[in-house]
Amino acid sequence: MASEPRDEFVYACALDDLREDGRRVVSRPGTPLAVFYHEGEVFATDNRCPHMGFPLAEGSVDEGVLTCHWHHARFELSCGDTFDPWADDVQTYPTEVRDGDVYVGPRPAPDEPPADHWAGRLEDGLERNLALVVAKSVIGLEDAGVPPAEVVETGIAFGARYREAGWGPGVTVLTAMANVLSDLRAEDRRRALYQGLVRVADDCAGEPPRFDQEAFGARDVSYDRLKSWFRENVEVRDADGAERVLRTAIANDCSDARLAEMLAAAATDHRYLNAGHTLDFVNKACEALDTVGWDRAEAVLPSLVRGLATADRAEERSSWRQPVNLASMLEATFAELDELVAAGESKTWSAPEGFAETLRADDPETVFSALTSAIADGATVDELAGEVAYAAGTRVARFATVNEFSDWNTVHHTFTYANALHRLARRTGARELYRGVFDAATNVYLDRFLNTPPAPLPEMPEGDGDSETHLDELLSAFDVEGEVNAAGRHAAHFLDRGGDPARLRERLGRGLLREDAGFHAFQSLEAGFGQAELRDDPEEVRTLCVAVARYLAAHFPTRREREQTFTIASRLHRGEKIHES
């Protein structure tokens, strides 16, 4: 204390008064302080409990422990360190007694830079699944100037390590939110990272960590052999063997595209693994590495292997065998795939008029014939995957609400699978992904009854109108259960009135981030945004935005508990008193 400049200390109270009362509240510019007399000594802390801001002067002190009476967070009085990690440490201040008066000194320099402090707290929040700590950390890290990619990297690394089953919904949501950050309002970007990170924490809560296999010592194995080994180990469901091969490929400095190709090939060796989630996870892991850096591939990609090796295979389901043996039809088609690709090598293809409608035909032979003809005419995986993704998105946009509520997820899974396929096709162009095109198209066919009768796309509005009104009405539709068609109509009419699609994406993102949205809602928004971004046809963009709006409206409103927690963290950060109106 002697090192503190005396003229920076401020008067607090008379020592006799403090001794009699035990505590006093002192107003210091910007910071209310609580001053305590305990066991013959004087102590000063920030009067705001770091957990939720309750006045610590209304707490109690016993045996050197300050306890907040709101949630019973406890602090070591002399240094402010908490006994309860969910509460954070409270700031303490130096004190002096001069001529019978108590003075409180300036806030000491922090022991660590704010960025380091909040990075450590984010780790604590993830480890203990503490949403409020995660929210405060996201806000603190942004204010400390930490780039979003570094925050995402913390969450991806944690989720990939501390979940024995490997890559899961939490890291998928976090990656999806990282992908759409540029579409959001500045104040919602914090919410997006928070939503993703709390999903990671929840996924890992109570789970054992993954234990790594090691790469083989060989460093001269060809890529083709490694790819073959990897697929064979996944085929026989040997996750450990497959992981060692993948790690060897990474150690052999295989390119990003080749690593993605290896994973995508294994994910399409069987049909529509785990209702499409497996391929989507492969794509999201690659996109996560685009954000955090492919030098983290060794920490991230092996988390996919168990899911690949243990996945449910759609050809084992009755729906793919009866009443039409779709699996056998696909096997016969795949036997000709090399010949079809060879026939189209020197050709350039463009989708004929009505191709998307053909992909939604009621006859699988019609669908498969259109695809095989397209390949023979030079259609790339990228081109066909984009067409199938749009057909799948149309199924969502025209989902009939007379169906069971759970059927929303059936059309949703097809759409997000097709989106993942399209993204991977743009990344690798691997020939094996043609099989994924057929898988997605098969599901578009199987989903046909969920468009019976098809919900009509919103008609063009008549007369003049204000596009902005539809943005407000869209959020209002999310506030009322069952306003599915109204939400789709407002999204469409905003665009019809000349509204900027970027504004619509921003508003849809706001609607999502205030909810306790489920995994699929985050997927749906990100896939819809991604597919719309790749299209020049305004009608296709319109349909995809209708799909997103209708899907979200079907699942809103929720309790909004996560938003309440985030709001509390924001108010604490601004110094507001949470316990007061």
Side-chain angles (χ1 to χ4, degrees):
M1 293 183 189
S3 62
E4 294 285 345
R6 293 178 62 88
D7 58 2
E8 291 188 12
F9 278 64
V10 297
Y11 173 79
C13 60
L15 178 61
D16 288 343
D17 293 340
L18 179 64
R19 185 184 291 115
E20 181 178 349
D21 296 340
R23 71 209 50 212
R24 280 293 178 93
V25 176
V26 177
S27 294
R28 188 186 183 106
T31 306
L33 303 181
V35 183
F36 298 93
Y37 185 84
H38 179 64
E39 295 180 342
E41 295 186 66
V42 177
F43 304 92
T45 72
D46 190 320
N47 192 37
R48 297 167 298 190
C49 177
H51 177 224
M52 289 184 66
F54 193 75
L56 288 176
E58 297 184 23
S60 58
V61 179
D62 184 49
E63 293 189 341
V65 177
L66 169 61
T67 300
C68 175
H69 284 186
W70 199 357
H71 293 93
H72 306 286
R74 299 162 300 155
F75 308 93
E76 203 285 331
L77 184 59
S78 65
C79 68
D81 290 352
T82 184
F83 290 80
D84 305 295
W86 44 264
D88 284 328
D89 299 333
V90 69
Q91 179 65 55
T92 58
Y93 294 79
T95 62
E96 281 188 2
V97 177
R98 308 176 195 164
D99 302 325
D101 291 326
V102 175
Y103 290 79
V104 179
R107 177 174 180 166
D111 294 333
E112 57 183 349
D116 292 345
H117 168 75
W118 289 116
R121 289 302 285 150
L122 178 56
E123 290 281 359
D124 293 339
L126 292 171
E127 290 171 4
R128 295 174 174 84
N129 195 19
L130 302 172
L132 183 60
V133 173
V134 170
K136 292 162 75 174
S137 300
V138 168
I139 295 168
L141 286 166
E142 184 180 88
D143 279 2
V146 176
E150 292 187 22
V151 180
V152 173
E153 181 177 0
T154 297
I156 295 297
F158 186 90
R161 165 63 63 186
Y162 293 106
R163 188 173 185 269
E164 186 178 41
W167 188 278
V171 280
T172 298
V173 170
L174 179 57
T175 304
M177 291 300 94
N179 289 347
V180 302
L181 283 181
S182 61
D183 293 307
L184 304 174
R185 299 182 306 166
E187 56 264 44
D188 283 336
R189 292 169 193 162
R190 294 177 171 187
R191 283 182 171 85
L193 294 175
Y194 157 73
Q195 286 270 12
L197 289 163
V198 295
R199 289 301 303 256
V200 171
D202 192 57
D203 265 4
C204 297
E207 293 290 319
R210 282 192 321 103
F211 293 97
D212 296 339
Q213 299 294 323
E214 294 184 358
F216 296 136
R219 291 293 180 269
D220 57 354
V221 184
S222 71
Y223 170 74
D224 288 341
R225 176 157 292 183
L226 288 169
K227 180 179 175 182
S228 176
W229 284 352
F230 183 73
R231 293 169 68 181
E232 175 61 25
N233 278 275
V234 171
E235 174 68 27
V236 300
R237 301 187 183 278
D238 182 358
D240 291 341
E243 182 176 338
R244 296 202 72 180
V245 174
L246 178 59
R247 288 187 179 278
T248 303
I250 296 170
N252 280 359
D253 296 323
C254 284
S255 68
D256 309 350
R258 284 195 154 186
L259 291 172
E261 176 182 326
M262 179 183 293
L263 291 159
T268 54
D269 279 336
H270 288 278
R271 313 281 56 80
Y272 197 54
L273 300 181
N274 274 355
H277 285 309
T278 300
L279 188 74
D280 186 60
F281 286 0
V282 168
N283 178 59
K284 279 293 172 283
C286 292
E287 291 177 345
L289 290 173
D290 291 339
T291 296
V292 307
W294 275 82
D295 58 322
R296 301 302 305 270
E298 188 176 13
V300 173
L301 295 184
S303 68
L304 296 165
V305 174
R306 185 170 298 279
L308 281 164
T310 62
D312 169 71
R313 298 166 176 178
E315 68 267 30
E316 298 169 347
R317 298 185 197 162
S318 62
S319 60
W320 281 60
R321 296 288 184 180
Q322 297 291 337
V324 180
N325 196 332
L326 298 167
S328 292
M329 291 174 64
L330 291 176
E331 289 172 11
T333 301
F334 296 160
E336 301 174 357
L337 191 56
D338 287 343
E339 296 177 11
L340 293 168
V341 173
E345 280 183 352
S346 60
K347 301 176 183 177
T348 301
W349 179 83
S350 60
E353 186 176 352
F355 190 74
E357 288 76 9
T358 301
L359 294 178
R360 300 198 306 273
D362 291 343
D363 176 17
E365 291 187 358
T366 300
V367 176
F368 294 170
S369 176
L371 292 174
T372 55
S373 296
I375 296 171
D377 289 339
T380 65
V381 178
D382 178 7
E383 290 169 331
L384 288 183
E387 293 294 328
V388 176
Y390 179 66
T394 303
R395 288 280 192 234
V396 182
R398 310 202 68 177
F399 179 84
T401 55
V402 297
N403 292 292
E404 289 187 294
F405 183 77
S406 61
D407 282 327
W408 275 106
N409 288 336
T410 303
V411 291
H412 160 82
H413 286 144
T414 305
F415 178 49
T416 51
Y417 176 88
N419 173 65
L421 177 75
H422 193 194
R423 293 292 180 174
L424 285 169
R426 293 171 64 84
R427 183 184 297 275
T428 75
R431 180 174 298 185
E432 291 89 351
L433 289 177
Y434 279 113
R435 300 175 307 187
V437 170
F438 281 88
D439 287 356
T442 297
N443 262 354
V444 170
Y445 161 74
L446 289 171
D447 295 346
R448 66 196 184 281
F449 292 116
L450 302 178
N451 285 169
T452 304
L457 292 173
E459 295 181 358
M460 296 290 290
E462 297 180 358
D464 297 328
D466 178 16
S467 63
E468 292 298 308
T469 299
H470 291 292
L471 286 185
D472 295 334
E473 293 296 332
L474 176 61
L475 281 189
S476 296
F478 289 161
D479 286 331
V480 181
E481 185 176 337
E483 290 293 294
V484 173
N485 293 329
R489 183 172 63 254
H490 290 304
H493 288 178
F494 171 77
L495 298 175
D496 298 336
R497 298 291 190 191
D500 183 355
R503 295 285 316 286
L504 178 57
R505 292 195 299 273
E506 181 184 273
R507 193 60 57 93
L508 288 166
R510 189 190 308 180
L512 171 71
L513 293 169
R514 65 183 184 170
E515 303 287 348
D516 298 333
F519 169 47
H520 293 146
F522 290 100
Q523 282 186 301
S524 179
L525 178 122
E526 188 262 350
F529 283 12
Q531 284 299 311
E533 182 184 20
L534 296 174
R535 297 175 193 279
D536 297 322
D537 185 342
E539 187 60 32
E540 293 186 359
V541 172
R542 182 183 193 265
T543 299
L544 290 165
C545 290
V546 168
V548 173
R550 293 186 82 238
Y551 186 89
L552 296 182
H555 296 80
F556 296 163
T558 64
R559 292 173 63 97
R560 301 179 181 174
E561 292 180 12
R562 292 200 291 266
E563 172 63 12
Q564 174 71 3
T565 298
F566 185 83
T567 299
I568 289 170
S570 298
R571 292 184 63 189
L572 285 171
H573 193 73
R574 294 193 297 266
E576 296 179 13
K577 297 179 179 180
I578 305 301
H579 60 288
E580 296 180 358
S581 300

